[in-house]
Amino acid sequence: AAKADGRGVHRFYREELLHGAQNRKRLEDDLRRALAAGEFRLAYQPVVSTADARIMGYEALVRWDHPQRGAVSPAEFIPVAEECGLIEAIGAWVLDTACAEAATWPDHVRVAVNVSPIQFANPRLPALVAGALAATGLAPHRLELEITEGVFLNEDASSEQMFRALKALGVRLALDDFGTGYSSLGYLRKAPFDKIKIDQSFVRGAIQPGNRNAAIIRAIVSLAETLGMETTAEGVEQQDEIVLIRGLGCSHIQGYVYGRPADAGTVRAQLDAAEGYAVPIGHKTSR
Ligand code: C2E
Ligand code: MG
Ligand code: MG
Ligand code: MG
């Protein structure tokens, strides 16, 4: 139901965007008001090691609880925020909030934060990241920035400089949604990624006999390993898929099978339970 609502809102927003500057301004105001009113919050989804089922980190995912429309999906409002320039302020809030939360977790647990291509094009991003780390005391290697292939669309010397500046801070970089969009292997040659996140569209159906996705995942993993990068399979929903993904050599799994994005309190309970080892849904233990 939430999904359908989200799509409804999306259509609503798209229509408004098409109807000129006045409505657009209203949306912009709505997002700005939401930020000031504290209507955004973060949900965290576990990222689990395939080797030993230990929770290695969480991806921070922004949520908007709209007073009238209810939950609005980030897939709907992030593009609007990008168009009206508010992504900078929202992104800064996400970064600060995620780092502050992660600083309370055990030392081996990382946090991943999504960075919009618009933020990535801003020369002030490294200072913003450094500021969030300094303010929260989070060790740089515990922060992973997720970047999509969108950052390569207007590729120039400055993107290479940005990669260098971010790596110089000691943070980790992940290439998100790999295999969608305008994938080019050239990106992997140039950019110092620590991890490739294999898009969930490749996990869908991969367990079916004769499905080609498994072969594609295997090839991506082999490429990543050669380049010294980790791999996370996104959108893993079933226990059968865990077995397949582990067999294909992915180093990490993220998906509903280990937990939906949840609030910070749930995360702390999860990290306390079973000493931070993840348990697949539907799987009962005596611990
Ligand atoms: P993403 O970064 O690829 O995040 C993964 C998305 O997959 C999340 O959707 C997550 O809830 C969903 N997901 C995780 N496991 C499963 C699964 O097993 N099955 C299925 N069907 N879906 C799963 P969400 O939270 O709706 O976010 C959508 C997108 O919005 C994100 O995709 C990301 O591109 C963007 N986004 C979210 N938070 C932020 C943010 O703070 N900043 C920016 N710039 N973008 C964000
Ligand atoms: Mg992501
Ligand atoms: Mg993704
Ligand atoms: Mg995505």
Side-chain angles (χ1 to χ4, degrees), residues 169-190:
L169 294 175
V171 300
R172 295 165 50 88
L173 299 176
L175 181 53
D176 204 356
D177 303 343
F178 184 75
T180 63
Y182 305 94
S183 306
S184 156
L185 297 179
Y187 305 155
L188 293 180
R189 185 182 55 209
K190 283 188 226 161

Side-chain angles (χ1 to χ4, degrees), residues 128-223:
L128 193 78
V129 172
L133 293 170
T136 59
L138 186 74
H141 67 269
R142 294 179 59 198
L143 175 61
E144 188 164 81
L145 302 178
E146 297 195 359
I147 295 151
T148 59
E149 290 157 339
V151 303
F152 299 104
L153 277 181
N154 28 9
E155 196 182 359
D156 51 17
S158 68
S159 70
E160 261 178 77
Q161 236 177 305
M162 179 59 73
F163 280 119
R164 262 201 305 276
L166 292 173
K167 283 312 292 177
L169 294 175
V171 300
R172 295 165 50 88
L173 299 176
L175 181 53
D176 204 356
D177 303 343
F178 184 75
T180 63
Y182 305 94
S183 306
S184 156
L185 297 179
Y187 305 155
L188 293 180
R189 185 182 55 209
K190 283 188 226 161
F193 290 111
D194 299 285
K195 173 185 273 187
I196 292 174
K197 298 192 75 177
I198 301 169
D199 190 70
Q200 54 176 279
S201 57
F202 295 105
V203 174
R204 291 286 86 71
I207 48 172
Q208 255 73 64
N211 188 287
R212 300 164 89 159
N213 285 352
I216 294 171
I217 293 171
R218 194 190 296 280
I220 296 172
V221 168
S222 157
L223 180 68

